[in-house]
Amino acid sequence: MWPTLTLLAVVAVGTGFWAWRTSRFARRTESALRQELEELRRSRHLRLAEAEVKQQAVFNSMVEGLLILDEDGRVQFANPALSQLFSLPTEIRGRTLMETLRLHDLQTLSQRVLVEGRVTGVEIHLPSEPHRAIQVNAATVRDPDRALAGTIFVFHDVSRIKQLENVRKEFVANVSHELRTPLSLIKGYVETLLDGAKDDPAVATRFLRTIEKHADRLTFLIDDLLTISQLESGQVAFNIQALDLGDQAEQVLTELGGRGADKKVTVTNEVPPGLRIQADGDRLQQVLFNLVDNAIKYGHVGGHVRIGGRRLAEGAIEGWVSDDGPGIPPEAHTRVFERFYRVDRARSREQGGTGLGLSIVKHIIQSHGGEVSVESSPGQGSTFRFTLPEASPETETLRRASTPE
Ligand code: ADP
C-alpha cells in the first residue's frame, strides 16, 4: 500500500513541478516575444522617422518647386521653393490646386495628367512682373492596387534660360543684319562697275572708295565681335600691372591725332601726373581709344575733347573723356552701353561705327572691377567716366624691382 501511495505522491509532485516550469517558460517566452516585437516596432518607427527627415531635407533643399496632391486633388505637401516661386501663404494643406495657384493652364494640366499618367515639359507663364516662365512636369502616383494615391508636380523656373535664349537670338539677328548691310552695298557697287561704270575712271574710283569703306566696316565689325566673344568667354588673360593713366592717354592721343585733325578737333590730355592704376595696358588703351574716337566721331567740327582723371577716396582712380558735341538724350544713357544700340543709327554707320565700342568699354572696365557711366544732356556735350583700382604699394615695389635702372 505504502509504495503505491509514495509513487502516487511522487507523480503528483513531479507533474505539479512540470506544470509550474512549463507555465513559467511560456510566460517568459511570451514577454520576451512582446519585448522583441516592441523593439522591432520602435526601430521601424525610428527608421521611418529617419527616412522622413531625410526626405524632408531633400524636398527643402530642392531648387524646383514641388507640390503633392492627394487622391481628391487637395494639397498634401508643398516645399519652400514652391511657396517662394508662387508667393504662397504658409498654410495651404487641404486646398485645391485652383484655390492654391489660380492658374487655368495648371488646372488643365492636372486633368491631363489624370488621364495620361505623366506629362512633361509643359511651359506655363506667370502673370507676374517681371514675367516668369515655368516648366512643369507632373505624374500620378498609384498604390499597389492601381488606385490613385495622388499627383506630384515639379515646377522649374526657366525664365533666366528663356531670357538668355532671347538675348542670343537677338544678337544673332543683329550680327546678321550688320554683316548683310555692307555686303549688299559692296555687291551693288561691284555689279554697277561690271555693268559699265568701270569704264569711267572718276566714277570707278568713287565706287571703289565706297567699296573700301564698307569692307573696312566689315573688318571693324568682325574685330569687335571677336573682342566681345573673347572677353565674354574669359579666354583673354589680363596682364595686370601698375600703369600711369596720363602716359596711357598720351599714347592714345598719338594714335588718334590724325583723326582729330581731320575734323579740326582739339584733343587735350589733362590727366594730372602720378595717377597710377592697376590695369592691363592693351585693354586700357582700347577703352581710351573707343571713348576718344567716339568723342571725335560724334562731336562737332572744330570741337574740343578732353581726357582727365582724379584719385577717388577709396583707393580707386577715375578717368574721363569729355566732349562739347551734341550730347546724348537721358533715356539713352544706360542703353548706349548695350550691344548694337545707337542713338542715331544712320550717323553711326556713316562714321563706320559698329555699335559695339561702348559695350567693349563696359566689359573691359567691369572685368577690372570698375564701373562706367555717362553724363550728358542734348546740346551740352558728353562725359564718359570709368573707375579702375589704384596701383597698390606692393605692385609698385614689384614693378620697380623688375624695371632695369
Ligand atoms: P558706335 O560704333 O555706333 O559708335 P558705340 O557703342 O561706341 O557704337 O556707341 C553707341 C552709341 O552711343 C553711338 O552710336 C552714338 O549714338 C552714342 N555715342 C557714343 N559716344 C558718344 C558721344 N561722345 N557723343 C554722342 N553720342 C555718342
Side-chain angles (χ1 to χ4, degrees):
M1 175 71 183
W2 278 110
T4 313
L5 279 175
T6 310
L7 186 67
L8 279 173
V10 167
V11 169
V13 170
T15 311
F17 179 70
W18 176 249
W20 174 78
R21 275 207 51 180
T22 313
S23 90
R24 196 172 153 227
F25 176 74
R27 265 208 312 278
R28 258 216 351 240
T29 318
E30 197 187 309
S31 83
L33 269 174
R34 211 177 292 136
Q35 197 179 334
E36 216 168 284
L37 208 67
E38 187 52 37
E39 264 164 27
L40 261 174
R41 215 174 276 145
R42 224 179 293 141
S43 74
R44 192 163 166 263
H45 266 129
L46 217 66
R47 278 208 304 277
L48 278 176
E50 264 174 23
E52 209 169 297
V53 168
K54 274 187 198 156
Q55 199 181 48
Q56 195 74 30
V58 171
F59 289 167
N60 287 353
S61 63
M62 273 172 75
V63 181
E64 291 85 6
L66 179 78
L67 180 72
I68 303 178
L69 301 184
D70 64 14
E71 65 272 32
D72 298 324
R74 293 190 175 271
V75 175
Q76 203 175 32
F77 175 81
N79 72 347
L82 186 92
S83 306
Q84 205 183 346
L85 191 60
F86 288 93
S87 310
L88 296 176
T90 38
E91 203 34 74
I92 53 166
R93 254 178 100 98
R95 293 194 191 176
T96 63
L97 188 63
M98 200 55 192
E99 283 166 354
T100 315
L101 302 179
R102 296 174 196 284
L103 289 169
H104 279 283
D105 287 352
L106 213 53
Q107 185 64 20
T108 315
L109 173 70
S110 76
Q111 281 153 5
R112 220 183 110 193
V113 75
L114 288 179
V115 178
E116 296 176 22
R118 173 189 288 260
V119 179
T120 53
V122 173
E123 206 171 289
I124 57 165
H125 296 268
L126 302 192
S128 59
E129 218 23 82
H131 179 83
R132 309 280 282 277
I134 313 285
Q135 202 175 69
V136 193
N137 296 326
T140 51
V141 182
R142 300 201 171 262
D143 63 19
D145 307 327
R146 306 287 307 138
L148 182 70
T151 317
I152 297 183
F153 294 83
V154 179
F155 298 80
H156 187 55
D157 189 345
V158 288
S159 316
R160 177 94 188 112
I161 299 171
K162 289 267 149 194
Q163 199 188 346
L164 290 176
E165 213 173 281
N166 287 342
V167 169
R168 189 190 57 80
K169 276 187 199 156
E170 204 179 308
F171 182 66
V172 171
N174 273 324
V175 170
S176 318
H177 179 77
E178 295 294 330
L179 289 172
R180 201 178 308 120
T181 312
L183 270 179
S184 43
L185 285 169
I186 289 172
K187 193 161 187 298
Y189 282 109
V190 169
E191 276 170 5
T192 319
L193 280 170
L194 291 174
D195 282 350
K198 67 177 186 318
D199 301 327
D200 180 337
V203 175
T205 309
R206 192 155 49 82
F207 279 14
L208 286 170
R209 290 246 155 80
T210 314
I211 290 172
E212 187 188 30
K213 191 173 104 182
H214 291 298
D216 284 346
R217 231 183 95 195
L218 278 176
T219 313
F220 297 148
L221 180 64
I222 288 163
D223 285 348
D224 279 358
L225 283 172
L226 282 175
T227 306
I228 288 255
S229 133
Q230 282 172 347
L231 286 169
E232 285 187 350
S233 65
Q235 278 172 9
V236 265
F238 282 7
N239 176 19
I240 303 287
Q241 47 185 311
L243 300 167
D244 187 280
L245 185 60
D247 289 352
Q248 298 294 311
E250 207 50 46
Q251 285 181 40
V252 172
L253 290 202
T254 314
E255 211 177 318
L256 273 167
R259 224 177 278 199
D262 290 349
K263 276 184 80 176
K264 299 187 174 55
V265 174
T266 315
V267 190
T268 51
N269 178 1
E270 299 174 10
V271 179
L275 280 192
R276 300 199 60 84
I277 45 162
Q278 216 159 271
D280 177 299
D282 289 345
R283 296 298 168 188
L284 177 64
Q285 294 268 321
Q286 203 166 3
V287 166
L288 290 168
F289 186 99
N290 285 0
L291 293 179
V292 177
D293 185 42
N294 275 351
I296 298 172
K297 252 180 359 194
Y298 299 110
H300 298 304
V301 174
H304 189 186
V305 175
R306 294 149 68 219
I307 311 178
R310 65 181 174 132
R311 187 172 177 274
L312 295 178
E314 61 281 6
I317 301 282
E318 182 187 74
W320 47 262
V321 174
S322 74
D323 63 67
D324 51 3
I328 299 168
E331 64 276 12
H333 285 187
T334 46
R335 297 215 63 196
V336 287
F337 296 101
E338 287 173 18
R339 297 185 295 201
F340 297 116
Y341 179 84
R342 282 108 157 185
V343 179
D344 182 342
R345 195 161 283 269
R347 177 119 196 252
S348 160
R349 288 233 174 89
E350 179 52 38
Q351 302 284 336
T354 61
L356 294 171
L358 288 179
S359 78
I360 291 176
V361 166
K362 185 177 171 181
H363 227 298
I364 293 175
I365 293 296
Q366 286 184 342
S367 304
H368 281 79
E371 280 167 21
V372 275
S373 60
V374 60
E375 284 160 22
S376 177
S377 42
Q380 304 291 310
S382 312
T383 302
F384 284 85
R385 295 182 189 279
F386 58 88
T387 55
L388 284 169
E390 187 174 19
S392 63
E394 298 90 68
T395 333
E396 292 288 2
T397 318
L398 275 179
R399 188 186 63 91
R400 270 197 295 275
S402 60
T403 313
E405 293 297 319

